[in-house]
Amino acid sequence: MTEINEITRSLNKTARICSLLRMTTLVFLFIYVGLSLATLSMSLMSGRNLFSICHLLISSMIIIAMLGILVKILHEPVLGQSPFSSKQPKRFIALGVVVFLKFFIDMFTPLFLASATNQNNVFNYAPLASSGHFLDINVTLLLFSLIFVSLSVVFRYGTLLQKLSDETV
């Protein structure tokens, strides 16, 4: 009986932690949306070039998507459900893809920014290349993308084990 009480206490504690993380993520999501809208409106009023505004908009949408997926990942444990549902691996893959998309966009931003600011000679990237900022490779985003895809495999395995356990009992 003590072991069951210990497991119940541990599950309740995990649900509370997930709830706190989910609420913190939601608050951060709303703050980020507000700041993104404010930055976007200031960029439009200041007359920044179209590429900078599009980059800001796309980056903001990607980060909002990341936070939204994270809220969904944390939702099931908050409800007391098993985190090893069939939806969780798909959410982790989606998160990995969105993080990789952010990596890809950020990698090529200096290249496109150079072409947007140098309208006369689009193919003259010598100053950009000599400064070492031809491609901005953010290894951290790439690693996080791979981690989330790996987590999807782990959660898929956990889902199959849970299904096997449920069918056995």
Side-chain angles (χ1 to χ4, degrees), residues 121-135:
N121 191 355
V122 175
F123 298 104
N124 184 13
Y125 298 115
L128 189 65
S130 65
S131 68
H133 294 293
F134 191 66
L135 291 177

Side-chain angles (χ1 to χ4, degrees), residues 105-134:
I105 288 173
D106 286 353
M107 182 173 68
F108 288 106
T109 296
L111 180 68
F112 291 118
L113 188 58
S115 67
T117 56
N118 189 6
Q119 296 294 332
N120 297 332
N121 191 355
V122 175
F123 298 104
N124 184 13
Y125 298 115
L128 189 65
S130 65
S131 68
H133 294 293
F134 191 66

Side-chain angles (χ1 to χ4, degrees), residues 55 58-59 62 100-110 112:
H55 180 263
I58 291 170
S59 292
I62 288 172
F100 183 77
L101 185 61
K102 176 73 172 140
F103 162 78
F104 189 76
I105 288 173
D106 286 353
M107 182 173 68
F108 288 106
T109 296
F112 291 118

Side-chain angles (χ1 to χ4, degrees), residues 66-78:
M66 282 186 228
L67 292 171
I69 294 169
L70 187 58
V71 167
K72 287 182 178 181
I73 287 172
L74 293 170
H75 185 66
E76 288 183 11
V78 168

Side-chain angles (χ1 to χ4, degrees), residues 43-56:
S43 295
L44 288 171
M45 290 188 304
S46 69
R48 290 179 69 179
N49 66 19
L50 183 62
F51 176 77
S52 295
I53 293 171
C54 287
H55 180 263
L56 174 66

